[in-house]
């Protein structure tokens, strides 16, 4: 029987909205290597249709956790 592992996908973003950290779980979930996303705007990963709503929700917050729609490296 094959053993399944559980991964936690985490990313850290600075005050300017730039990705500063990217976990192995995030790579597995979205397909991007850390080198391809760290140092770039986190907004580039948002699913385009929901971007204005997400930006409005996050505006002015020091800290937030929750769910946002993201785009996989293959476009889905």
């Amino acid at each position: 029987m094959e053993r399944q592992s559980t991964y936690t996908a985490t990313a850290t973003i600075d005050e300017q909205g730039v990705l500063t950290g990217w976990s192995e779980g995030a790579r597995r979930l979205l397909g991007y290597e850390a080198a391809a996303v760290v140092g770039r705007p986190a907004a580039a990963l948002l699913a385009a249709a929901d971007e204005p709503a997400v930006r409005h929700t996050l505006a002015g917050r020091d800290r937030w956790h929750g769910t946002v729609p993201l785009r996989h490296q293959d476009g889905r």
Side-chain angles (χ1 to χ4, degrees), residues 39-72:
R40 302 186 66 124
L45 299 176
L46 295 174
D50 295 317
E51 185 175 339
V54 171
R55 286 178 183 262
H56 178 74
T57 299
L58 300 178
R61 296 186 184 215
D62 291 333
R63 189 176 178 112
W64 179 85
H65 71 278
T67 304
V68 294
L70 300 173
R71 181 181 26 243
H72 190 276

Side-chain angles (χ1 to χ4, degrees), residues 5 8 11 15 17-19 22-24 27-28 32 35-37 40 43 51-52 54 57 63 65 69-70:
S5 295
T8 299
E15 298 83 18
V18 175
L19 283 157
W22 192 253
S23 72
E24 174 62 14
R27 184 199 64 79
R28 288 176 175 263
Y32 297 95
V37 294
R40 302 186 66 124
E51 185 175 339
V54 171
T57 299
R63 189 176 178 112
H65 71 278
L70 300 173

